[in-house]
Amino acid sequence: MSTGLREYLDGPHKAARDLVRDGLAANAGLLDAGLELSRAEYRDKVLEVMQQITAEGHTARGFPKEYGGQGDLGGFLAGFETLAFGDLSLMIKAGVQFGLFAGAILHLGTSRHHDEYLTDAIEGRLLGCFAMTETGHGSNVQALGTTATYDPATEEFVIHTPTAAARKDYIGNAARHGRMAAVFAQLVVGGETHGVHCLLVPIRTPEGDPLPGVTLSDCGAKLGLNGVDNGRIVFDQVRVPRTALLDRYAQVDAQGNYSSEIENPDRRFFTMLGTLVQGRVSVGGAAINASKVALTIAIRYADRRRQFGAPGSADEALLLDYRMHQRRLLPLLARTYALHFAQAELVEEFVRLFGGDGVKDDHDQRALEAQAAGTKALGTWHATETIQMCREACGGAGYLAENRLATLKADTDVFTTFEGDNTVLLQLVAKGLLTNYRESFGKLDPLGTARFIAAQAVEIAVEKTALRTLIERLRDVVPNRNDAADPDAGLRDDAYHSGMLRFREEHMLAGVARRLKRGIDDGVEPFEAFNRCQDHVIAAGRAHVERVVAEAFLAAVQAAPEGTPRDRLRDLYDLHALVTIESERAWYIEHGRLSGARSKAITALVNELCATVRPYAGELVDAFGVPGAAVDVPMVVPSQHE
């Protein structure tokens, strides 16, 4: 059965996934490099393997054919996610080089930049950095301090770091291997600042020495991902030619005249950043795949390791036969499947919008950005929770580095904050829901968000007839506290799951809108009004994404081949949906959507579903197709009873 389910999980990009699996298997030794080599040696080994997989052609898969690529964006993203089955430093370094640096050239540059740099970048000859983050400005990209000032006398931009807070920080490839950086800076032309733009700035000689005016330093040892050479960059009046500006969305002519087809500076900024959403999509997928590795190890271990047993019996019980052990691991397995299918939907939508001639519809792009933000947030938080639980479920053996969970835990920890802090990303999701993806997208900072919502969105969210109609309709679908007569009725009904999740989302969204409106009507300053209910905003965003993930899982179940694969997925879907409701049962009881009896019935059914899934849990993790070396760790060996 796992073979058929694996085919279904791999989807249309199976060939790309298998190519990466084969490459990881051939370089299995890299899994131990972080434990055996010095940091400098480990970094160089990661680069060596990256260049090897580059030579095999995978990294060019998503780029245009005229520059040596294959024009297969979906396969590229699927393959990148699959890299998370191996050494995560390799995945991140490849992401920096091909997703971020080469991606910036492709999406923000024009044919001049493509012709000069793209082939070398995607073939790994030109190693680059993505220099956006600054010491004093993390998620607030619009407030970056680095400047790029145009000098018409020499037709050059002068790149400068004016303060310590404007230092480029945590930049992958900066400490050792990068030769050029895609630098995000405030563009200053004719004394006027036009907002953040991206320029290509050489930072090292071919021999690896820093160029004049460029100061490079090493971030040093990190909690994880020590095979990635993160560094810091400071620019002191560094000059680059006018053509260094990646000018797809804005141009500066030789005389110093700035022009852009997108007149609104906020819209121009978000359009530019929107083309770089690929990194966020990729990190979410990688986190989900890292969860698959941890679950494969922990469930295989639990299906072999014995501990205690019935009194008077000489036989000890398997860990996975204990109800609490099932409760620890199997709901996480179900959520991993749910997130897998939600990620697959996201990739499909990303390819639809970016796989051709580019984004045509602003509404679609904003919706994609919100979907990517939400999936990345839940996927990376899920990885953190799952890997920790798997470590605990494996006891002391899980604490040993040789069994990989320690490395997985350390290497994925930063996923919750890079490519966007998860809390900020869920704020973006909720803002998009409140504003109905209007063209005036507003600023990401709390003050801009509050003013935008106050001016345009609050009345819409509160007064919109469709919203009130939906809530009234859900009251007919979702049982309330009077359901005690038959608490078990319909608990595995798809409409029940959807109704509960939709009710929570819409109720929380309307509540946020009412609180904002009430505060502003009472004369509270917009920033303070928003700040007072920021926790409510984040919760509404999360409720939305949880509903979207569950519906993606249901759609995948309905589309699955009939027979055993669909039956297995159906059990997992019900488990996931009910655990999602169970985790918020206090909220549902508070809002009259769940009785005490029905809450207990949900918990009983979750336990029953765990017992149902338990006999084939091993098949479910086998279907992930994680290469053997990544999961054949010393603790996963046959016990003395087998």
Side-chain angles (χ1 to χ4, degrees):
M1 189 281 299
S2 61
T3 301
L5 192 52
R6 174 174 160 180
E7 295 275 342
Y8 188 59
L9 288 173
D10 279 352
H13 306 297
K14 174 177 170 51
R17 296 182 193 276
D18 282 344
L19 180 65
V20 174
R21 286 184 176 110
D22 291 343
L24 293 176
N27 290 282
L30 185 62
L31 292 169
D32 298 321
L35 302 175
E36 298 173 349
L37 303 177
S38 69
R39 188 163 69 245
E41 292 171 332
Y42 182 26
R43 289 171 170 180
D44 288 346
K45 182 65 176 178
V46 168
L47 175 63
E48 176 188 328
V49 176
M50 188 189 80
Q51 289 176 326
Q52 180 180 325
I53 66 172
T54 299
E56 293 168 355
H58 166 67
T59 54
R61 184 182 291 271
F63 291 90
K65 294 180 180 179
E66 57 266 36
Y67 297 103
Q70 300 176 35
D72 179 12
L73 184 56
F76 175 81
L77 291 171
F80 181 83
E81 293 172 6
T82 308
L83 279 174
F85 287 161
D87 179 274
L88 288 169
S89 287
L90 172 64
M91 183 207 72
I92 295 300
K93 193 169 187 73
V96 169
Q97 175 66 27
F98 304 105
L100 295 178
F101 176 64
I105 296 172
L106 175 64
H107 294 299
L108 300 181
T110 51
S111 57
R112 174 177 59 233
H113 306 103
H114 300 164
D115 292 343
E116 186 170 356
Y117 301 112
L118 198 53
T119 299
D120 285 344
I122 66 178
E123 293 184 358
R125 290 190 296 273
L126 174 62
L127 297 177
C129 311
F130 188 78
M132 177 182 283
T133 302
E134 295 180 355
T135 303
H137 301 96
S139 297
N140 190 4
V141 178
Q142 278 188 299
L144 293 179
T146 302
T147 57
T149 305
Y150 185 64
D151 180 358
T154 60
E155 296 187 27
E156 294 174 315
F157 285 102
V158 181
I159 314 301
H160 188 60
T161 305
T163 66
R167 176 187 64 180
K168 296 298 180 181
D169 214 341
Y170 319 112
I171 309 302
N173 272 351
R176 190 172 180 87
H177 297 138
R179 296 296 186 264
M180 177 176 281
V183 178
F184 288 79
Q186 300 287 349
L187 196 71
V188 182
V189 182
E192 181 180 355
T193 300
H194 294 277
V196 174
H197 292 64
C198 185
L199 303 92
L200 295 178
V201 182
I203 58 172
R204 280 189 176 89
T205 66
E207 294 73 33
D209 299 317
L211 286 167
V214 179
T215 300
L216 302 170
S217 56
D218 196 326
C219 289
K222 307 183 292 290
L223 176 62
L225 298 175
N226 283 301
V228 182
D229 53 321
N230 293 91
R232 303 181 174 103
I233 311 175
V234 174
F235 300 101
D236 183 10
Q237 308 293 339
V238 175
R239 289 179 171 266
V240 294
R242 180 175 61 88
T243 54
L245 175 67
L246 295 178
D247 58 353
R248 178 177 178 182
Y249 296 107
Q251 300 79 39
V252 176
D253 67 17
Q255 290 71 41
N257 298 306
Y258 177 90
S259 61
S260 173
E261 294 182 359
I262 306 175
E263 294 184 5
N264 183 290
D266 285 338
R267 182 166 173 248
R268 183 169 59 244
F269 172 76
F270 284 107
T271 298
M272 178 186 71
L273 245 59
T275 63
L276 303 175
V277 73
Q278 179 175 317
R280 196 166 287 165
V281 172
S282 299
V283 167
I288 295 163
N289 273 9
S291 300
K292 296 174 186 176
V293 177
L295 284 164
T296 301
I297 293 171
I299 287 175
R300 287 181 178 176
Y301 180 71
D303 208 13
R304 294 176 179 176
R305 174 74 155 84
R306 294 180 180 271
Q307 183 86 344
F308 302 111
S313 171
D315 294 328
E316 292 186 299
L318 290 167
L319 292 181
L320 203 52
D321 286 336
Y322 286 103
R323 175 58 51 80
M324 195 59 215
H325 213 81
Q326 295 169 11
R327 267 286 195 159
R328 298 168 91 181
L329 296 179
L330 300 186
L332 294 174
L333 175 62
R335 195 195 308 168
T336 301
Y337 267 78
L339 286 163
H340 171 94
F341 291 117
Q343 174 71 11
E345 280 195 357
L346 174 62
V347 168
E348 182 179 339
E349 180 65 4
F350 182 84
V351 171
R352 184 183 74 83
L353 294 181
F354 287 91
D357 297 328
V359 175
K360 301 293 195 300
D361 187 289
D362 284 349
H363 178 278
D364 285 350
Q365 181 172 340
R366 302 307 181 210
L368 175 70
E369 291 167 5
Q371 186 181 0
T375 304
K376 183 267 180 184
L378 260 64
T380 54
W381 271 328
H382 171 70
T384 297
E385 178 186 0
T386 298
I387 295 166
Q388 174 63 24
M389 184 58 73
C390 288
R391 207 293 301 158
E392 292 181 24
C394 292
Y399 199 65
L400 297 178
E402 67 180 8
N403 290 319
R404 289 217 65 211
L405 293 172
T407 300
L408 277 172
K409 182 178 176 180
D411 284 351
T412 58
D413 192 76
V414 74
F415 285 17
T416 60
T417 50
F418 75 12
E419 289 298 329
D421 177 274
N422 284 354
T423 299
V424 175
L425 294 183
L426 286 186
Q427 180 175 298
L428 184 154
V429 171
K431 182 186 67 173
L433 296 170
L434 284 166
T435 60
N436 201 25
Y437 305 112
R438 284 173 172 257
E439 287 189 2
S440 301
F441 199 54
K443 296 177 183 284
L444 280 177
D445 61 277
L447 178 59
T449 302
R451 287 175 174 165
F452 185 66
I453 292 172
Q456 301 185 50
V458 176
E459 289 291 342
I460 294 172
V462 174
E463 302 297 337
K464 192 165 57 176
T465 302
L467 178 61
R468 294 201 306 270
T469 302
L470 177 59
I471 291 177
E472 293 298 326
R473 186 169 72 250
L474 288 173
R475 286 175 181 159
D476 296 330
V477 175
V478 180
N480 58 29
R481 61 170 62 98
N482 297 320
D483 55 22
D486 187 8
D488 297 319
L491 287 182
R492 297 191 70 169
D493 188 336
D494 300 341
Y496 175 71
H497 305 149
S498 179
M500 290 288 275
L501 297 179
R502 281 186 174 274
F503 176 80
R504 176 171 161 78
E505 174 190 348
E506 297 293 350
H507 190 285
M508 296 192 81
L509 182 61
V512 169
R514 284 193 300 270
R515 287 182 64 185
L516 285 169
K517 184 179 187 303
R518 184 166 58 248
I520 292 165
D521 287 348
D522 291 344
V524 177
E525 207 278 331
F527 177 88
E528 181 60 25
F530 181 85
N531 193 45
R532 288 180 183 180
C533 62
Q534 193 171 23
D535 58 330
H536 198 161
V537 170
I538 302 304
R542 181 159 191 154
H544 167 75
V545 182
E546 287 175 343
R547 190 264 302 169
V548 170
V549 168
E551 291 185 353
F553 196 0
L554 178 59
V557 172
Q558 294 169 340
E562 291 186 8
T564 301
R566 184 185 292 184
D567 293 341
R568 299 286 196 254
L569 291 175
R570 165 58 65 181
D571 289 339
L572 279 179
Y573 164 76
D574 287 342
L575 177 58
H576 170 71
L578 290 169
V579 167
T580 302
I581 295 169
E582 182 191 42
S583 67
E584 299 294 345
R585 58 188 179 274
W587 186 92
Y588 284 113
I589 290 172
E590 286 178 352
H591 293 82
R593 297 297 95 190
L594 199 61
S595 68
R598 198 167 181 84
S599 175
K600 293 176 182 178
I602 288 174
T603 295
L605 182 53
V606 167
N607 287 339
E608 183 181 317
L609 284 166
C610 284
T612 299
V613 170
R614 186 267 176 264
Y616 51 85
E619 296 178 9
L620 292 171
V621 295
D622 289 347
F624 292 146
V626 182
V631 288
D632 291 341
V633 295
M635 70 174 169
V636 182
V637 296
S639 74
Q640 61 182 343
H641 296 277
E642 295 180 302

